[in-house]
Amino acid sequence: MPRIRPDIASIRPYVPGRHIDEVARDIGMRPDEIVKLASNESPEGPFPGVAKAVAAVLTESNRYPDTDFYELRRVVSGAIEVPPDHLWFGNGSVSLLSHLALTIGGPGTSAVYAWPSFVMYRVISRWAMSEPIEVPLGDGFVHDLDALRAAIRDDTSVVYLANPNNPTGTLVAADAIDEFIDSVPEEVLIVVDEAYHHFVDDESYATAIPQALARPNVVVLRTFSKIYALAAYRVGFGIAQPGTISELMKSQAPFSVSQVAQVAAAASLGNPEELARRVEANAAGRRRLLDALVERDIRHAESQTNFVYCKLGPDSAAAAAAFTKRGVIIRPMSGGWVRVTIGTQAENQRFVAVLDELLLNLQR
Ligand SMILES: Cc1ncc(COP(=O)(O)O)c(C=O)c1O
């Protein structure tokens, strides 16, 4: 066995949502009988036109991808009204998180974020040799911005803020974020992770992009993995000032986003009707699922995303395993809480049907 960095060796590996084929083999069902609601993926395939655009470049596999992201940059810049040089692309937004953590971390630094929040903030902090400082969420599973600010130390190099938050689906209002950003020392990087921003319909919410354009210490992260249904292709991007991007990307290998993925992402934009239809389908599914939880008196957070966080306790792993046995894959969190992705209407109904079956068993 080679010698391994002890701090890395002690990391608990990231546990992804289980793959449909694997569960199907395990429980003896066909893959098409399994419902996966465990990874906050889109229940639908790519946007219209994406598969055709991808097919057209499949034979260009001998060439390295475009390191300037010319076309993707142009299209994203137009879509979100951000200057092209304020965009930073990577192999999923999680890779951008790891690059920036490596660039600003190192021994003697710390990283502040809420808990529970996106588990990768913990993992990348460890990779970067930064000490993780985890601040419990406040009332209603909302970020406690005062406590986050108070947790920032002289050695803190970054604050991660998922808005809306994963796994709780809760959000922080625009004015509170602005006030928070104003109060953080300029030498601390603030990463506002907006992976789920498309799904929000609460009017108090706004993107932090204006802050990222105005300040060198703010980065907003976005992804094509959620509403745009490209999780398999791995494309994420950041919005920040060009000087900040050129520093943060020094820990990034070249050619990190395949040409196929770049083409797929670019072809996903420019279809506002399809985007609105998918957002509405998610909102309708979320409303029905939250209503079902209320009717059954199940504790939950007020989700603004494509997933709900609810307590099926006392044992999260046992609850998730009971669902898996019945062909519905959900994500166990801790303390009896689970995270359930909004699927198609039929998938959501399957979840509720299994929930009722299990509740009935519990009452017996
Ligand atoms: C808060 C948050 N940020 C980032 C990501 C990663 O997205 P990507 O697929 O772009 O790496 C996720 C994925 O679940 C997430 O929940």
Side-chain angles (χ1 to χ4, degrees), residues 92-94 97 118 121 162 166 193 195-196 223 225-226 234-236:
S93 54
V94 79
L97 283 166
F118 186 36
Y121 303 150
N166 174 11
D193 185 344
Y196 300 99
T223 179
S225 301
K226 307 300 175 186
R234 317 301 304 123
V235 192

Side-chain angles (χ1 to χ4, degrees), residues 82-279:
V82 161
D85 61 351
H86 286 59
L87 293 169
W88 176 30
F89 294 94
N91 188 38
S93 54
V94 79
S95 84
L96 296 178
L97 283 166
S98 68
H99 306 317
L100 66 85
L102 288 170
T103 306
I104 56 162
T109 64
S110 61
V112 170
Y113 49 88
W115 201 257
S117 191
F118 186 36
V119 70
M120 288 305 293
Y121 303 150
R122 179 185 275 174
V123 175
I124 57 170
S125 301
R126 303 282 294 279
W127 290 349
M129 297 186 184
S130 281
E131 182 187 337
I133 301 177
E134 298 181 347
V135 179
L137 292 174
D139 288 347
F141 306 99
V142 176
H143 281 91
D144 182 344
L145 295 180
D146 290 336
L148 280 169
R149 191 185 297 107
I152 294 172
R153 306 190 308 218
D154 286 347
D155 68 358
T156 298
S157 57
V158 60
V159 179
Y160 299 109
L161 216 152
N163 198 30
N165 190 40
N166 174 11
T168 56
T170 45
L171 59 74
V172 180
D175 49 359
I177 290 258
D178 285 348
E179 205 182 295
F180 177 75
I181 290 173
D182 287 347
S183 75
V184 171
E186 281 170 21
E187 61 277 13
V188 175
L189 185 72
I190 305 166
V191 179
V192 186
D193 185 344
E194 296 184 346
Y196 300 99
H197 82 108
H198 280 110
F199 302 110
V200 174
D201 53 24
D202 184 321
E203 283 176 4
S204 72
Y205 175 85
T207 175
I209 288 178
Q211 292 278 11
L213 299 180
R215 292 170 181 269
N217 67 325
V218 177
V219 179
V220 168
L221 293 182
R222 297 280 182 92
T223 179
F224 280 92
S225 301
K226 307 300 175 186
I227 193 75
Y228 289 112
L230 292 183
Y233 286 1
R234 317 301 304 123
V235 192
F237 62 96
I239 298 111
Q241 290 191 353
T244 304
I245 293 175
S246 62
E247 290 307 313
L248 296 181
M249 67 188 292
K250 287 182 177 168
S251 300
Q252 181 177 31
F255 310 118
S256 58
V257 183
S258 77
Q259 196 64 23
V260 168
Q262 291 189 35
V263 166
S268 301
L269 297 174
N271 192 342
E273 295 81 20
E274 179 67 7
L275 182 66
R277 185 189 68 72
R278 290 182 186 221
V279 168

